[in-house]
Amino acid sequence: MTRLTGRALRVTVFVGEHDTWHHKPLYSEIVHRAHAAGLAGASVFRGVEGFGASSLVHTSRLLSLSEDLPVAIVIVDTEERVRAFLPQLDELVTEGLVTLDHCEVIRYLGRDDTPPESDLKGKKST
């Protein structure tokens, strides 16, 4: 059963979609390692446009510039678990940006979790 509420830490990793780790997409390796580490979850978001340290703008609007679009991998879990995962990101991310933000999780339930029963007004039944 996966539940997470209250104070948490969000790590966001910005890389290029063509960045690789041992011939696999880097974002995929990060997600699989986060899963193996037992983190609450990870999502990958493909950017439509952006630039980084190289100052080269990548955009999906022009075919000639649509290569290596930005990708953001977002992971949220307890601060302890996220910080324990950071050494793996140090190993994987040779170019890119990694940010940490404190956040508050209002509700996170895994698919197998059953939310508490509610009456029609959204209040918990007793």
Side-chain angles (χ1 to χ4, degrees), residues 17-18 44-49 60 66-73:
E17 72 176 329
H18 292 296
V44 178
F45 301 94
R46 184 175 186 232
V48 174
E49 188 167 43
S60 62
S66 65
E67 296 179 8
D68 205 24
L69 290 170
V71 172
I73 304 103

Side-chain angles (χ1 to χ4, degrees), residues 1 13 24 39 41-42 46 49 58 62 66 71 84 87 90 111:
M1 188 178 321
V13 182
K24 286 178 39 181
L39 295 175
R46 184 175 186 232
E49 188 167 43
H58 302 274
L62 300 172
S66 65
V71 172
D90 285 340
R111 291 184 188 264

Side-chain angles (χ1 to χ4, degrees), residues 57-123:
V57 175
H58 302 274
T59 178
S60 62
R61 291 182 291 129
L62 300 172
L63 187 58
S64 63
L65 297 175
S66 65
E67 296 179 8
D68 205 24
L69 290 170
V71 172
I73 304 103
V74 179
I75 302 166
V76 177
D77 206 322
T78 64
E79 182 167 357
E80 178 182 353
R81 293 171 70 93
V82 167
R83 289 199 183 274
F85 185 67
L86 291 180
Q88 292 198 55
L89 293 178
D90 285 340
E91 175 188 355
L92 295 169
V93 181
T94 58
E95 274 184 37
L97 175 67
V98 178
T99 65
L100 294 173
D101 302 288
H102 290 281
C103 62
E104 183 176 353
V105 175
I106 296 171
R107 180 176 184 175
Y108 174 72
L109 296 173
R111 291 184 188 264
D112 295 335
D113 294 338
T114 305
E117 291 184 27
S118 313
D119 64 17
L120 295 176
K121 296 179 184 175
K123 297 179 182 175

